Amino acid sequence: MEKDIIRVVGGKELKGSVEISQAKNSVLKLMAASLLADDEVFIEKPPFIYDVNLMIELLKSLGATISTEGNGLKIIPQVNNFEADYELVSKMRASILVLGPLVAKYGRAKVALPGGCNIGHRKIDLHLEGLKALGASVDYESGYIVAKADRLKGSYIHLPIPSVGATENLLMAACLAEGKTVIENAAREPEIVDLANFLNKMGARINGAGSSRIEIEGVKKLKGTSHLPIPDRIEAGTFIAAALITGSELLIKNVVPEHLAYVLKKLEEAGARLEVEKNSIRVHRTERLRGIDVATFPYPGFPTDLQPLVMSVLCFAEGISVITENIFDNRFLHADELVRMGAKIEINGKHAIIHGVSKLYGVPIRAMDLRGGASLVIAALGAEGETIVYDAYHIFRGYENFIEKLKVIGANVEREVS
Ligand code: UD1
């Protein structure tokens, strides 16, 4: 297997500004949703990252024609194959999101059971139950899910948990169903609102996205559209963490601060000095932060995707912090690596107890998943000496120009692939 490492020499102050890309977690869903359109869809400024490339491959394998034009992605969504095969799907969990659009528009879909990040057991039962409620038949056939329907029928769906993926799959499917669908206890993430706005531009009739009750009046057809996805709140949070760990002043541009409202509040509780403007956040230089307690919850709570990043920040804070991971079972893989750098962290079930230390040290460590991997690089920026992060490819699934962006603000980082 090829070697993919990031070398970080810590201790450098960061400066200047960084431009955040559009959100991976929005773009992947918009790409899946484009399958619902009858004609061309244009997605402006998608991040050109590994997961987006995988989604391009997946849509192409279904028959879509995709090309980059300027700084956007043109998708001509004609489909002549209804099977999303294991090789692609197993590499990216978001692949499951082609299921709803395919069955809604073409009446059939065969999608391999998904893979994705190593962050615990990630079920899709709610996606499937919801599709059944919309009238689809859903069967398992040796590692594949096969869904069929003549035309989906609007239904009342009460999600037992506000799953982001299930809300998205069902929202997309319901757009072409006959009659009205209500999704109760829907996820309220900004990416859901972005998806609903995109679908409405295509001619869908969705109300209430961003609240826990979404109503969808089914339509017969959806047309193409052009859309600029929302900025990536997780990438923004990653660079805020980098500034805090290195005690730097940094301007984070292309952000919707409201999407990070709760995160900013928690960081301020830890002593961060943050200045919010319309589309940017300025992180001011601070002395050592204080320990705080953080618990992940569905939006508008603290995002699970920023949990590894805040852990890195809190490793350097004064006093004790407790992080509670409520969304995923196995999302502390980065903690052992931080411990190798000198952090003091005890894991107890879904809690991580962090005793702040004044220093971390550069050592060889391994990225285990996307956000956890990024949290190690960010921790390394504040560590003494050189850190080598192995299996860095995880990080490039979700961060566009990560190394280049860090370098521009003064970090001493290099990627080596051999
Ligand atoms: C989740 C995150 C999302 C993040 C993404 C990538 C939440 C609520 N969701 O979205 O913010 O960007 O990971 O890291 O924070 N579940 C079921 N059955 C299902 C679907 C989900 O039991 O059919 C459970 C999951 O196991 C999990 C919870 O619901 O415990 C939330 O999952 P879900 O929101 O669907 O995950 P993603 O869509 O991957």
Side-chain angles (χ1 to χ4, degrees):
M1 214 174 107
E2 74 181 9
K3 183 165 152 193
D4 189 348
I5 61 171
I6 297 178
R7 286 180 193 278
V8 185
V9 179
K12 287 206 122 200
E13 192 174 331
L14 308 178
K15 57 187 177 309
S17 64
V18 61
E19 180 92 16
I20 299 305
S21 299
Q22 309 316 116
K24 155 187 160 330
N25 284 338
S26 212
V27 170
L28 295 175
K29 323 304 168 67
L30 303 181
M31 291 175 73
S34 67
L35 292 175
L36 291 163
D38 281 347
D39 33 45
E40 186 183 309
V41 166
F42 190 74
I43 299 176
E44 290 173 52
K45 291 169 79 177
F48 288 102
I49 49 178
Y50 182 78
D51 274 10
V52 168
N53 288 334
L54 279 181
M55 189 57 100
I56 292 175
E57 289 312 310
L58 178 59
L59 298 187
K60 278 185 176 169
S61 78
L62 301 174
T65 307
I66 304 187
S67 52
T68 48
E69 267 188 24
N71 56 9
L73 208 55
K74 185 169 107 177
I75 303 174
I76 302 173
Q78 80 278 29
V79 169
N80 51 30
N81 169 35
F82 307 94
E83 180 172 330
D85 80 11
Y86 177 74
E87 184 155 1
L88 281 168
V89 175
S90 62
K91 290 183 184 155
M92 182 178 59
R93 193 185 148 75
S95 315
I96 192 66
L97 290 157
V98 301
L99 187 65
L102 284 179
V103 75
K105 182 149 194 238
Y106 299 98
R108 59 195 162 125
K110 183 171 174 185
V111 179
L113 285 162
C117 254
N118 307 324
I119 53 174
H121 183 54
R122 300 173 76 173
K123 295 190 284 183
I124 54 163
D125 54 323
L126 304 177
H127 303 229
L128 305 184
E129 289 307 318
L131 285 177
K132 283 188 205 163
L134 292 171
S137 68
V138 177
D139 295 294
Y140 293 94
E141 267 177 29
S142 44
Y144 281 78
I145 295 148
V146 179
K148 289 187 187 144
D150 286 336
R151 184 171 176 205
L152 296 177
K153 289 203 172 41
S155 178
Y156 178 87
I157 301 168
H158 191 135
L159 294 175
I161 31 178
S163 152
V164 175
T167 303
E168 290 164 337
N169 234 338
L170 301 174
L171 175 63
M172 292 187 281
C175 286
L176 288 182
E178 192 183 336
K180 181 175 167 175
T181 298
V182 176
I183 307 176
E184 200 74 76
N185 198 26
R188 293 183 281 162
E189 268 68 1
E191 292 76 18
I192 305 274
V193 177
D194 204 26
L195 176 61
N197 288 342
F198 175 74
L199 290 164
N200 280 342
K201 283 202 221 166
M202 285 163 63
R205 294 174 59 200
I206 303 166
N207 272 307
S211 78
S212 51
R213 180 185 165 97
I214 305 180
E215 299 189 358
I216 307 117
E217 275 305 333
V219 295
K220 287 215 169 97
K221 277 170 169 297
L222 293 170
K223 57 181 193 292
T225 190
S226 166
H227 189 74
L228 174 68
I230 56 170
D232 196 318
R233 60 196 169 104
I234 308 303
E235 189 193 6
T238 302
F239 280 94
I240 294 173
L244 293 174
I245 282 174
T246 53
S248 308
E249 166 134 358
L250 195 65
L251 180 64
I252 324 278
K253 297 200 286 197
N254 190 34
V255 197
V256 180
E258 194 196 326
H259 293 168
L260 283 161
Y262 187 69
V263 173
L264 301 183
K265 190 175 139 216
K266 290 305 286 185
L267 294 173
E268 281 173 347
E269 189 186 318
R273 291 193 303 127
L274 307 165
E275 193 181 321
V276 168
E277 282 154 37
K278 191 163 174 276
N279 299 114
S280 64
I281 297 169
R282 185 178 293 279
V283 184
H284 289 288
R285 205 175 272 118
T286 40
E287 295 303 314
R288 204 170 164 200
L289 301 183
R290 306 178 280 279
I292 50 165
D293 294 346
V294 175
T296 63
F297 280 106
Y299 191 84
F302 197 96
T304 175
D305 279 358
L306 282 179
Q307 176 265 106
L309 283 309
V310 81
M311 183 180 287
S312 291
V313 171
L314 295 175
C315 283
F316 292 92
E318 199 167 348
I320 297 176
S321 302
V322 179
I323 296 183
T324 304
E325 172 55 61
N326 289 309
I327 308 292
F328 294 115
D329 295 337
N330 194 25
R331 204 169 192 178
F332 285 139
L333 297 172
H334 46 283
D336 282 348
E337 306 301 298
L338 290 169
V339 167
R340 289 173 48 74
M341 298 175 78
K344 291 211 169 81
I345 307 170
E346 296 152 36
I347 303 294
N348 186 355
K350 60 181 188 168
H351 307 290
I353 297 115
I354 302 158
H355 297 259
V357 292
S358 53
K359 258 188 190 168
L360 293 187
Y361 299 92
V363 290
I365 47 178
R366 192 171 297 279
M368 309 283 190
D369 59 58
L370 163 57
R371 306 301 172 186
S375 78
L376 300 178
V377 173
I378 298 305
L381 295 173
E384 194 175 294
E386 186 184 69
T387 303
I388 302 176
V389 182
Y390 284 85
D391 291 349
Y393 58 87
H394 286 290
I395 298 167
F396 299 96
R397 290 185 48 192
Y399 289 90
E400 186 177 44
N401 299 333
F402 192 50
I403 300 298
E404 294 77 359
K405 287 185 184 184
L406 284 169
K407 276 187 172 171
V408 165
I409 54 177
N412 189 339
V413 285
E414 289 295 340
R415 181 182 190 188
E416 284 171 32
V417 184
S418 58

